[in-house]
Every structure is written in structure tokens, then in C-alpha cells.
Amino acid sequence: MKRFLYITLCVLLAVLSACNKKNSTDTKSSVAKLTAFSFAKNDSMPGLAAAVFTVEERLDTGLVWDKDSILYGTELDSVVPRFVFAATPGAAYLTLPDTTCNLTGYDTLDFSVLPIYLTIRSQDGTAVKTYEIRPTVHQVDPDLYTWEELCPSIYSPDESEQRVVELGDEFIMIKNNGFALHAYTSENGTDWTDIGEPSGLPYGTKVRQIISDGTTLYYGEGNNLYSSTDGQTWTSATTPYSIYAMLLYWNNLVWALVENNGYQLATWHNNQLDTTNLRPNDFFPISDFATVCFQSASERERAMIIGGFAENGLSLNTRWNLEYSRHIPDNGGYRLQDFSIDRPSFTTLTGISVIWYNNQLLMFGGVDANMTYFGRDILISNDEGLNWSKADTTKNQLPAVYKARQKQTAIVRDDYIYLFGGQDKDATYSDVYRGRLNSINWNK
């Protein structure tokens, strides 16, 4: 009898256990929630699958949105949406402006016309949640440069040669019309203040060789090096070497070309002009050259001195590369090379301006050996100055009203390119233009 009761109890427990498992399996979810949304990869729409969407829960209708993460020009009229739910829904369907469809996971749909709503019903039918899906495509072309005129004229037209430098938070334009120097300042490039005639500079100052370290301006001529902290009052110091040309401020040093039994590069530091062991040949410019500083792909500090006139008046096509690395054993870590030796096809240009922008070198203006103006096209170099080509004029072109010229100043500030003044064969300009690549700071 006891054995019979024991067997009966075991069978009953087994039945109850099976019932519990069946009840557990049959329990339906009451959750209706979307946790992630994306688009499937599409080879004809690069970057579509990488678009980042946020699922925002709200008391009523939720919102699925992206912050301009879909590339400019992407068409959304034939896309495959992907959904991730918190629990398998009992039903899920999309309501588009012209149709309603149940989701299969392989639907190719038109997401170009809004509004679009996703409705989720839980497995047990007790919960329903609706989300508005709002994809956003970039409305501006990331590769397009946009330009605007900030100032039509800083001063009344004359035959002045001019230079703009940065000093603190200001731009300073200094001009020399052959009779007198004059200076103007601006914080924004639009509004300019006349600060009169600078004192202490020599009569024949070559203003295009005034350079700035950000807090002090420098100019060299003969055995004198002049400096100013405001652009108005200049003081001079005697140097042991005669200065051919002021070159640039680079690697925390002011660089000049001096006479010391031939050409030699020298640096001004701690109120002292010291020569280096760098000696260029006679094809080194002393006027109307361009300089640019940047960090190379190998993370070495580099500067380039491009084009200009040699001492004998020859128009140059040289691109002198000045490089610093602690791994360079000689000359204090500095090396000077003429890149144009291996690539002589680079045209002779003087009066150009070059900047480092968007990991490229950009060149503006200039004239060739026959004083023919290069034009309004911008030259670019993607290999740090070795080779140059014209920029894509559908993406990177100066405004139609901007005239071809030389001796303009180009400065990069806060992701913008500023172009100041210049001259052509008919006129001298003192206008200011500002340009910017749309995507220059999208990844910052």
C-alpha cells in the first residue's frame, strides 16, 4: 500500500512539473519597446549603415532620430530598415504617408517622405507603443568651400604693398606706399581701425617680410632687427649679420636669411641672432616668396619656403623644405632640402600665399616669370608640397567677384581661411574674404 502511494505521488509531482513548464512556455510578454534602429548596408549609399540613431522614450509617441549622421546627397527612397526590440512583439508595422506595412525584416521602403511611424504591439496584446522615425540627411555638402566678403575696402585704393599678420586677438595690416607706412587693426576682419603711421621702422620697409610670433612683430634689414608688440611703436637691435630676408616664425624661433660668407639661415631668440649650419644655394628667394608651417604625416615639424625672386632677380620655382626632428643628427635637428630638384615641372610663381588647411596645402594667387597672373584657381597639394594640382572648382572655388591677383595675405584662424588684399596689373586691393570647408570641424 505504501509503495502504491509513493508511486502515485511521484506521478502527480511529474504532472504538476510538466504543467508548470507548459505554463512558463505559454507566458506571453507584455513589453512593447524599441531599443535600436538602423539602416542595412547598401553599397550604392556609402555610410548609410553607419548612421547613428537615438531611440528617445516619451510618455506618448517616442522619437527615433539622428543628428545629421547621414551623408549629404544620400537618397532614402529605397532603404531596408533594421529594428531591435526589447522583446519579440506580437505585431509591428510601419505607417508611411502612402501605405501601411507589417515588418518582415527584409522590407525595402521609401523613407524620404515623412512622417513615418512604427507601431509595436506586445505579445499578450496589453501594450501598444508608437515611435516617430525621423531620419535626417546632411543638408550641406561636406566637401564644399563657402566664401563671403567681410570688407570691400580697408582703405582707399593706392599703390601700396601690404601685409597682414596676427597679433594677439587682432589682425594688423601694415602698408607702404613708397612714401610712408600706415597700419590698421581689426578683431574680426570686417571692422578696421586706422592706427596711423608706425614709428621706428625704416623708410623702405618691405612690409611683406614682417612676421609675427603671436605676441611680437619682427622685421629685419641690414644689421638691424626691429620688433613691436603693438604694430605702432618699433624698436631696433643691432645684429652681427646682415639680413637678406625675414623668412618666418616656426618651431618657436624667428628665422632669417643672412649674409655670412654666402647665404646662411639664422634664428632670432632671446634677443640674439645666431646662425645655423643650414646653407642654401643661390636659388633661394629673398623676396615675394610664400611660407607655410605644418606637422608632417610622420609628426615632424615642417616649414616650406616657396617660389619668389632670387637675389639676381630670377623668378623661382623652388620649394625649400625646412624640417625638424630630434632624430636628425646634424644641424641641431634641422634639415633643409630643395624639393623642386626632383620635380622641376612646378611653374615659377611669385607673390603667392600658401596655407595648411584640412591636412592639405592650399596655394592662392601669384604670377609667373612673364608676370602673367595665375588666375582664380586654387592649387592644392596632398603630399606635403611635392606635387600640386588645381582644386575641384565645383567644390573649392573663390567667389566670382574675386579677381586674380598676387601678394595677397592668407591666414587660417578658427577653421576659417582669411584672404586679405593683394594687387593685379591694374589695381591694389584692400578687401577681405573669408572661406571655410563645411565639414572642417564635424569630427571635433
Side-chain angles (χ1 to χ4, degrees), residues 308-309 313-317 347-351 366-374 406 425:
F309 288 106
L314 180 67
S315 178
L316 301 172
N317 73 340
T347 186
T348 58
L349 283 177
T350 61
V367 293
D368 64 17
N370 298 317
M371 288 300 293
T372 300
Y373 286 81
F374 181 74
Q406 64 162 327
K425 63 181 188 304

PDB file of all heavy atoms in Angstrom, residues 308-309 313-317 347-351 366-374 406 425:
ATOM      1  N   GLY A 308      59.169  82.871 -55.330  1.00  0.00           N
ATOM      2  CA  GLY A 308      59.812  84.141 -55.034  1.00  0.00           C
ATOM      3  C   GLY A 308      60.910  84.492 -56.029  1.00  0.00           C
ATOM      4  O   GLY A 308      61.099  83.815 -57.045  1.00  0.00           O
ATOM      5  N   PHE A 309      61.633  85.553 -55.694  1.00  0.00           N
ATOM      6  CA  PHE A 309      62.739  86.017 -56.528  1.00  0.00           C
ATOM      7  C   PHE A 309      64.070  85.759 -55.841  1.00  0.00           C
ATOM      8  O   PHE A 309      64.218  85.997 -54.633  1.00  0.00           O
ATOM      9  CB  PHE A 309      62.620  87.520 -56.808  1.00  0.00           C
ATOM     10  CG  PHE A 309      61.520  87.886 -57.756  1.00  0.00           C
ATOM     11  CD1 PHE A 309      60.359  88.480 -57.300  1.00  0.00           C
ATOM     12  CD2 PHE A 309      61.643  87.648 -59.118  1.00  0.00           C
ATOM     13  CE1 PHE A 309      59.340  88.837 -58.165  1.00  0.00           C
ATOM     14  CE2 PHE A 309      60.626  87.989 -60.008  1.00  0.00           C
ATOM     15  CZ  PHE A 309      59.471  88.587 -59.528  1.00  0.00           C
ATOM     16  N   GLY A 313      67.377  88.406 -59.316  1.00  0.00           N
ATOM     17  CA  GLY A 313      66.133  88.764 -59.984  1.00  0.00           C
ATOM     18  C   GLY A 313      65.433  87.624 -60.683  1.00  0.00           C
ATOM     19  O   GLY A 313      64.361  87.817 -61.280  1.00  0.00           O
ATOM     20  N   LEU A 314      65.980  86.408 -60.618  1.00  0.00           N
ATOM     21  CA  LEU A 314      65.376  85.250 -61.272  1.00  0.00           C
ATOM     22  C   LEU A 314      64.101  84.827 -60.552  1.00  0.00           C
ATOM     23  O   LEU A 314      64.076  84.691 -59.329  1.00  0.00           O
ATOM     24  CB  LEU A 314      66.373  84.086 -61.294  1.00  0.00           C
ATOM     25  CG  LEU A 314      65.899  82.786 -61.961  1.00  0.00           C
ATOM     26  CD1 LEU A 314      65.704  83.007 -63.466  1.00  0.00           C
ATOM     27  CD2 LEU A 314      66.898  81.663 -61.697  1.00  0.00           C
ATOM     28  N   SER A 315      63.047  84.617 -61.327  1.00  0.00           N
ATOM     29  CA  SER A 315      61.796  84.086 -60.778  1.00  0.00           C
ATOM     30  C   SER A 315      61.956  82.590 -60.550  1.00  0.00           C
ATOM     31  O   SER A 315      62.350  81.855 -61.453  1.00  0.00           O
ATOM     32  CB  SER A 315      60.642  84.352 -61.748  1.00  0.00           C
ATOM     33  OG  SER A 315      59.436  83.818 -61.257  1.00  0.00           O
ATOM     34  N   LEU A 316      61.654  82.139 -59.327  1.00  0.00           N
ATOM     35  CA  LEU A 316      61.983  80.773 -58.916  1.00  0.00           C
ATOM     36  C   LEU A 316      60.776  79.843 -58.939  1.00  0.00           C
ATOM     37  O   LEU A 316      59.632  80.277 -58.771  1.00  0.00           O
ATOM     38  CB  LEU A 316      62.577  80.787 -57.505  1.00  0.00           C
ATOM     39  CG  LEU A 316      63.854  81.609 -57.312  1.00  0.00           C
ATOM     40  CD1 LEU A 316      64.212  81.684 -55.836  1.00  0.00           C
ATOM     41  CD2 LEU A 316      65.007  80.997 -58.103  1.00  0.00           C
ATOM     42  N   ASN A 317      61.083  78.545 -59.106  1.00  0.00           N
ATOM     43  CA  ASN A 317      60.058  77.522 -58.919  1.00  0.00           C
ATOM     44  C   ASN A 317      60.433  76.609 -57.756  1.00  0.00           C
ATOM     45  O   ASN A 317      59.994  75.473 -57.675  1.00  0.00           O
ATOM     46  CB  ASN A 317      59.871  76.690 -60.192  1.00  0.00           C
ATOM     47  CG  ASN A 317      61.025  75.718 -60.441  1.00  0.00           C
ATOM     48  OD1 ASN A 317      62.122  75.885 -59.913  1.00  0.00           O
ATOM     49  ND2 ASN A 317      60.768  74.705 -61.245  1.00  0.00           N
ATOM     50  N   THR A 347      55.553  75.263 -61.854  1.00  0.00           N
ATOM     51  CA  THR A 347      55.732  76.533 -62.537  1.00  0.00           C
ATOM     52  C   THR A 347      56.383  77.570 -61.630  1.00  0.00           C
ATOM     53  O   THR A 347      56.282  77.493 -60.405  1.00  0.00           O
ATOM     54  CB  THR A 347      54.377  77.062 -63.038  1.00  0.00           C
ATOM     55  OG1 THR A 347      54.600  78.239 -63.815  1.00  0.00           O
ATOM     56  CG2 THR A 347      53.466  77.411 -61.869  1.00  0.00           C
ATOM     57  N   THR A 348      57.062  78.538 -62.247  1.00  0.00           N
ATOM     58  CA  THR A 348      57.632  79.628 -61.465  1.00  0.00           C
ATOM     59  C   THR A 348      56.497  80.529 -61.001  1.00  0.00           C
ATOM     60  O   THR A 348      55.655  80.962 -61.796  1.00  0.00           O
ATOM     61  CB  THR A 348      58.628  80.452 -62.303  1.00  0.00           C
ATOM     62  OG1 THR A 348      57.951  80.969 -63.445  1.00  0.00           O
ATOM     63  CG2 THR A 348      59.794  79.585 -62.748  1.00  0.00           C
ATOM     64  N   LEU A 349      56.456  80.796 -59.724  1.00  0.00           N
ATOM     65  CA  LEU A 349      55.415  81.655 -59.165  1.00  0.00           C
ATOM     66  C   LEU A 349      56.018  82.580 -58.118  1.00  0.00           C
ATOM     67  O   LEU A 349      56.806  82.151 -57.268  1.00  0.00           O
ATOM     68  CB  LEU A 349      54.305  80.823 -58.524  1.00  0.00           C
ATOM     69  CG  LEU A 349      53.294  80.156 -59.449  1.00  0.00           C
ATOM     70  CD1 LEU A 349      52.305  79.318 -58.654  1.00  0.00           C
ATOM     71  CD2 LEU A 349      52.532  81.195 -60.269  1.00  0.00           C
ATOM     72  N   THR A 350      55.617  83.830 -58.180  1.00  0.00           N
ATOM     73  CA  THR A 350      55.987  84.800 -57.151  1.00  0.00           C
ATOM     74  C   THR A 350      54.717  85.480 -56.663  1.00  0.00           C
ATOM     75  O   THR A 350      53.690  85.480 -57.351  1.00  0.00           O
ATOM     76  CB  THR A 350      56.962  85.857 -57.702  1.00  0.00           C
ATOM     77  OG1 THR A 350      56.315  86.569 -58.770  1.00  0.00           O
ATOM     78  CG2 THR A 350      58.234  85.214 -58.226  1.00  0.00           C
ATOM     79  N   GLY A 351      54.791  86.037 -55.464  1.00  0.00           N
ATOM     80  CA  GLY A 351      53.633  86.731 -54.916  1.00  0.00           C
ATOM     81  C   GLY A 351      52.486  85.813 -54.552  1.00  0.00           C
ATOM     82  O   GLY A 351      51.321  86.225 -54.539  1.00  0.00           O
ATOM     83  N   GLY A 366      49.344  84.719 -57.368  1.00  0.00           N
ATOM     84  CA  GLY A 366      50.695  84.706 -57.882  1.00  0.00           C
ATOM     85  C   GLY A 366      50.793  84.993 -59.368  1.00  0.00           C
ATOM     86  O   GLY A 366      49.790  84.998 -60.102  1.00  0.00           O
ATOM     87  N   VAL A 367      52.017  85.240 -59.812  1.00  0.00           N
ATOM     88  CA  VAL A 367      52.296  85.464 -61.227  1.00  0.00           C
ATOM     89  C   VAL A 367      53.482  84.601 -61.627  1.00  0.00           C
ATOM     90  O   VAL A 367      54.285  84.185 -60.794  1.00  0.00           O
ATOM     91  CB  VAL A 367      52.625  86.948 -61.517  1.00  0.00           C
ATOM     92  CG1 VAL A 367      51.411  87.826 -61.304  1.00  0.00           C
ATOM     93  CG2 VAL A 367      53.790  87.422 -60.650  1.00  0.00           C
ATOM     94  N   ASP A 368      53.601  84.324 -62.926  1.00  0.00           N
ATOM     95  CA  ASP A 368      54.736  83.544 -63.398  1.00  0.00           C
ATOM     96  C   ASP A 368      55.869  84.469 -63.822  1.00  0.00           C
ATOM     97  O   ASP A 368      55.822  85.687 -63.602  1.00  0.00           O
ATOM     98  CB  ASP A 368      54.321  82.599 -64.523  1.00  0.00           C
ATOM     99  CG  ASP A 368      53.834  83.334 -65.772  1.00  0.00           C
ATOM    100  OD1 ASP A 368      54.106  84.550 -65.908  1.00  0.00           O
ATOM    101  OD2 ASP A 368      53.194  82.684 -66.624  1.00  0.00           O
ATOM    102  N   ALA A 369      56.884  83.907 -64.459  1.00  0.00           N
ATOM    103  CA  ALA A 369      58.066  84.696 -64.819  1.00  0.00           C
ATOM    104  C   ALA A 369      57.742  85.790 -65.819  1.00  0.00           C
ATOM    105  O   ALA A 369      58.480  86.786 -65.919  1.00  0.00           O
ATOM    106  CB  ALA A 369      59.145  83.775 -65.372  1.00  0.00           C
ATOM    107  N   ASN A 370      56.648  85.660 -66.566  1.00  0.00           N
ATOM    108  CA  ASN A 370      56.245  86.662 -67.549  1.00  0.00           C
ATOM    109  C   ASN A 370      55.220  87.640 -66.993  1.00  0.00           C
ATOM    110  O   ASN A 370      54.575  88.361 -67.757  1.00  0.00           O
ATOM    111  CB  ASN A 370      55.678  85.967 -68.791  1.00  0.00           C
ATOM    112  CG  ASN A 370      56.698  85.094 -69.479  1.00  0.00           C
ATOM    113  OD1 ASN A 370      57.850  85.485 -69.636  1.00  0.00           O
ATOM    114  ND2 ASN A 370      56.274  83.886 -69.850  1.00  0.00           N
ATOM    115  N   MET A 371      55.058  87.612 -65.669  1.00  0.00           N
ATOM    116  CA  MET A 371      54.076  88.477 -64.990  1.00  0.00           C
ATOM    117  C   MET A 371      52.649  88.189 -65.460  1.00  0.00           C
ATOM    118  O   MET A 371      51.785  89.064 -65.479  1.00  0.00           O
ATOM    119  CB  MET A 371      54.412  89.947 -65.196  1.00  0.00           C
ATOM    120  CG  MET A 371      55.634  90.411 -64.412  1.00  0.00           C
ATOM    121  SD  MET A 371      55.422  90.207 -62.608  1.00  0.00           S
ATOM    122  CE  MET A 371      54.138  91.408 -62.269  1.00  0.00           C
ATOM    123  N   THR A 372      52.412  86.948 -65.837  1.00  0.00           N
ATOM    124  CA  THR A 372      51.057  86.514 -66.172  1.00  0.00           C
ATOM    125  C   THR A 372      50.393  86.007 -64.905  1.00  0.00           C
ATOM    126  O   THR A 372      50.931  85.139 -64.214  1.00  0.00           O
ATOM    127  CB  THR A 372      51.077  85.391 -67.226  1.00  0.00           C
ATOM    128  OG1 THR A 372      51.717  85.874 -68.401  1.00  0.00           O
ATOM    129  CG2 THR A 372      49.663  84.939 -67.566  1.00  0.00           C
ATOM    130  N   TYR A 373      49.225  86.537 -64.609  1.00  0.00           N
ATOM    131  CA  TYR A 373      48.550  86.158 -63.371  1.00  0.00           C
ATOM    132  C   TYR A 373      48.029  84.729 -63.477  1.00  0.00           C
ATOM    133  O   TYR A 373      47.439  84.344 -64.507  1.00  0.00           O
ATOM    134  CB  TYR A 373      47.415  87.133 -63.059  1.00  0.00           C
ATOM    135  CG  TYR A 373      47.947  88.447 -62.553  1.00  0.00           C
ATOM    136  CD1 TYR A 373      48.418  89.411 -63.428  1.00  0.00           C
ATOM    137  CD2 TYR A 373      48.030  88.694 -61.186  1.00  0.00           C
ATOM    138  CE1 TYR A 373      48.946  90.608 -62.961  1.00  0.00           C
ATOM    139  CE2 TYR A 373      48.558  89.882 -60.710  1.00  0.00           C
ATOM    140  CZ  TYR A 373      49.020  90.832 -61.605  1.00  0.00           C
ATOM    141  OH  TYR A 373      49.549  91.994 -61.141  1.00  0.00           O
ATOM    142  N   PHE A 374      48.269  83.976 -62.428  1.00  0.00           N
ATOM    143  CA  PHE A 374      47.910  82.558 -62.465  1.00  0.00           C
ATOM    144  C   PHE A 374      46.409  82.353 -62.631  1.00  0.00           C
ATOM    145  O   PHE A 374      45.968  81.415 -63.273  1.00  0.00           O
ATOM    146  CB  PHE A 374      48.397  81.861 -61.188  1.00  0.00           C
ATOM    147  CG  PHE A 374      48.087  80.402 -61.169  1.00  0.00           C
ATOM    148  CD1 PHE A 374      48.799  79.529 -61.968  1.00  0.00           C
ATOM    149  CD2 PHE A 374      47.067  79.904 -60.387  1.00  0.00           C
ATOM    150  CE1 PHE A 374      48.497  78.173 -61.979  1.00  0.00           C
ATOM    151  CE2 PHE A 374      46.761  78.554 -60.380  1.00  0.00           C
ATOM    152  CZ  PHE A 374      47.478  77.686 -61.180  1.00  0.00           C
ATOM    153  N   GLN A 406      48.086  88.882 -57.030  1.00  0.00           N
ATOM    154  CA  GLN A 406      49.260  88.392 -56.328  1.00  0.00           C
ATOM    155  C   GLN A 406      49.429  89.202 -55.042  1.00  0.00           C
ATOM    156  O   GLN A 406      48.719  90.181 -54.797  1.00  0.00           O
ATOM    157  CB  GLN A 406      50.509  88.527 -57.199  1.00  0.00           C
ATOM    158  CG  GLN A 406      50.874  89.979 -57.533  1.00  0.00           C
ATOM    159  CD  GLN A 406      52.290  90.132 -58.010  1.00  0.00           C
ATOM    160  OE1 GLN A 406      53.171  89.397 -57.574  1.00  0.00           O
ATOM    161  NE2 GLN A 406      52.533  91.092 -58.897  1.00  0.00           N
ATOM    162  N   LYS A 425      47.645  93.935 -62.177  1.00  0.00           N
ATOM    163  CA  LYS A 425      48.339  94.918 -63.006  1.00  0.00           C
ATOM    164  C   LYS A 425      47.605  96.249 -63.068  1.00  0.00           C
ATOM    165  O   LYS A 425      48.183  97.277 -63.459  1.00  0.00           O
ATOM    166  CB  LYS A 425      48.537  94.367 -64.413  1.00  0.00           C
ATOM    167  CG  LYS A 425      47.266  94.084 -65.196  1.00  0.00           C
ATOM    168  CD  LYS A 425      47.621  93.531 -66.565  1.00  0.00           C
ATOM    169  CE  LYS A 425      46.455  93.379 -67.498  1.00  0.00           C
ATOM    170  NZ  LYS A 425      45.372  92.658 -67.162  1.00  0.00           N
TER     171      LYS A 425
END
